[in-house]
């Protein structure tokens, strides 16, 4: 059985945490599509041409520990604005979304471009300040030297670039359920999402 949960939203909105928890709950596979763009962005910082990097991407390149830095996030949002890079990453994501046994994908264009037929679509938001605070705490816990003001500026700049690019801009699909997590903890978000998904599983 194919069953796709598409989770989209702006930077550090809690998509990844929710996606991982939902995949564990339902026994679905999970793909953090941001890691694909981060891996290509990291290669660009090493001087490799982004399209060539996207075409040569392998599972081993998707190490979150190496890719969750401010510099790589910024590079990711630049390469993500290039249509040929997005195109090179499309088939892999589509096949993953429709794999048998269920899949959760989180990103920016999952419900709109990658899998418009997804059985459940969620659009996760939170205020920029709250998102920056959460990301700041994650980055310093990982030992990175950043200030909260820098993280807020980066989050705003990437959101602006992601929403205003011509190809696959960040936006909610018309049939997505919106959840604002500014004042909601992960447990409450998870509970609501589980109920929505369960209601749409056949049988
Ligand atoms: O974790 P965070 O929300 O900060 O970022 P991410 O999901 O790892 O994505 C990094 C960047 O990749 C984003 O700012 C987008 O520019 C790009 N991206 C995209 O264009 N499409 C996706 N499906 C996923 C990420």
């Amino acid at each position: 059985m194919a069953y796709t949960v598409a989770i989209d939203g702006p930077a550090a909105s809690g998509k990844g945490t929710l996606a991982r928890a939902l995949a564990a709950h339902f026994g679905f596979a999970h793909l953090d599509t941001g890691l694909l763009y981060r891996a290509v962005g990291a290669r660009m910082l090493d001087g490799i041409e982004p399209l060539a990097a996207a075409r040569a991407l392998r599972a081993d390149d998707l190490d979150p520990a190496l890719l969750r830095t401010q510099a790589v996030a910024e590079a990711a949002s630049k390469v993500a604005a290039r249509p040929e890079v997005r195109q090179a990453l499309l088939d892999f994501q589509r096949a993953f979304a429709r794999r048998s046994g269920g899949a959760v994908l989180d990103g920016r264009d999952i419900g709109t471009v990658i899998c418009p037929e997804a059985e459940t679509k969620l659009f996760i938001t939170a205020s920029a300040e709250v998102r920056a605070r959460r990301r700041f705490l994650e980055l310093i816990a990982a030992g990175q030297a950043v200030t909260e003001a820098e993280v807020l500026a980066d989050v705003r700049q990437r959101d602006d670039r992601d929403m205003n690019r011509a190809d696959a801009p960040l936006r909610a699909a018309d049939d997505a359920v919106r959840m604002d997590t500014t004042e909601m903890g992960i447990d409450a978000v998870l509970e609501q999402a589980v109920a929505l998904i369960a209601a749409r599983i056949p049988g």
Side-chain angles (χ1 to χ4, degrees), residues 7-16 32-38 67-68 70 72-81 86 89 93 105-110 114 131 135 138 154-155 157-159 161-163 165 167-170:
I7 307 182
D8 292 303
S13 53
K15 306 178 298 286
D32 172 354
T33 65
L35 283 183
L36 304 174
Y37 295 93
R38 284 173 181 259
L67 298 174
R68 295 235 165 86
Q70 289 279 98
V72 169
E74 159 96 16
S77 92
K78 288 185 179 154
V79 299
R86 306 198 72 84
L89 301 174
Q93 295 177 81
L105 286 82
D106 68 282
R108 303 290 187 287
D109 62 341
I110 310 304
I114 302 297
R131 291 186 286 119
R135 180 54 47 89
E138 278 171 20
D154 168 77
V155 156
Q157 194 185 24
R158 276 200 293 139
D159 286 354
R161 197 182 285 128
D162 292 346
M163 288 187 296
R165 68 184 174 220
D167 188 30
L170 166 65

Side-chain angles (χ1 to χ4, degrees), residues 1 12 14 23 31-32 45 60-61 82 88 96 100 104-105 107 111 114 126 129 135-138 141 151 174 176 184:
M1 174 205 75
L31 178 64
D32 172 354
L45 295 176
D60 288 356
D61 300 329
R82 295 174 57 161
F96 193 98
S100 146
V104 184
L105 286 82
I114 302 297
E129 288 76 12
R135 180 54 47 89
F136 169 67
L137 294 174
E138 278 171 20
V151 177
D174 293 339
M184 247 175 129

